[in-house]
Amino acid sequence: MAKHPNTVNAAETDIVQGLHTTEPQTGAVMPPIYPATTFARGPDNALINDAHIYTRDQNPTYRLPESMLARLENGNDALLFSSGMAAGCAVFRAMKPGDEILVPDQMYYGLRDWVRHFAETWGLSLRVYSVADPNAIRRAVTSDTQLVWAESPTNPTWEVTDIADAAAAAHDVGALLAVDSTVATPVHCRPLDLGADLVMHSATKALNGHSDVLAGVLVVKDPSLAVWQTIAKERGESGAIPGPFEAWLLQRGMRTLFVRVMRASQSALTIAQHFENHPALAAVLYPGLPSSPGHDIAARQMRDGYGAMLSFRFRGGEQAALEAISRLRVFTRATSLGGVESLVEHRATAEGASSEVPPDLLRFSVGIERCEDLVNDLDNAIAGL
Ligand code: PLP
């Protein structure tokens, strides 16, 4: 008798092996890329394969990464998009004029600016809740609310939303909860397991992990939801989908998701702990620190770590932050996050005129370099400030 059942339980194992798929004709352990934009019919005019007519949302290269993403989030269906923004926008576009939507006061600024404008032009009633107030969603929802949007942890101050509580508050009034879980990654948090209806990622970040693909994804628990049907139809018609090569790169990147994210998150925690009481810093923002306001919720709803993103606020204000960023040698000064290489940015500069980020803040995306090199780089950069 076998000692263990002959099945795989860990998402980690499934993902490393691309859901244990091999290409049936050749035995290739990596799937082929189908660059074809169109798919043939036989002499009887019937499609050779019913699932494929035209590439816009039917390219076979999309299927494996979508199945891997559904597996990662414990969902039952996933849709790839051409960017994280395209995925997020698709959810709001599925609302009808007159619908009420609730968004947090801190969220990825690109989507925040877009949704403020879209709500105005599309006739949505937009209400904003404070992520710092744990009861804000419950107080803000009304019987007209159709959608509650959450981002956890929030970019770039890493506030944490209690997803189970937000889902209950949304469901009590018949609304849906959608969560941008880009920063948490499926390694650390699975919003659908906590009650969310939809989860969104910028797959450009840790899911791909190599700063060379722009992509987004939505995953759903219940694909029969009307909103999911609307989103899928709209995607097929509008074509906001990555090309086959990007989809293929994404499935390749995801195979190393767990090792990359676990190492980067461990380094982020080490950095946060090392610099927490540094005299040059007014605050180290990281949900893994017990001093962080969202730590208790994060400890409950995240596992195996708290993510690879953290921020420093400088006692010497913007001047000190800009001096520190200029001195860094190992961190690359660039926007974005979730790649193998560590990045730093002065977020207020990156976001531009509409930014609500304090100018004394530097944002770090921790990569998988040797942690000691990162700590030393930061130590050198902020010494004497
Ligand atoms: N959500 C978060 C939390 C992000 O950080 C970003 C991009 O930085 C996005 C969404 C948008 O993703 P994309 O750049 O893939 O459109």
Side-chain angles (χ1 to χ4, degrees), residues 82-86 107-109 111 151 153-155 158 180-183 200-205 213-216 335-337 347 363:
S82 51
S83 67
M85 278 296 288
M107 61 190 281
Y108 170 60
Y109 84 110
L111 194 55
E151 182 178 310
T154 57
N155 189 353
W158 326 117
D180 180 344
S181 195
T182 300
V183 169
M200 171 243 156
H201 288 276
S202 165
T204 314
K205 317 299 183 196
V213 166
L214 183 73
T335 195
S336 202
L337 55 115
R347 194 66 191 157
R363 185 187 89 169

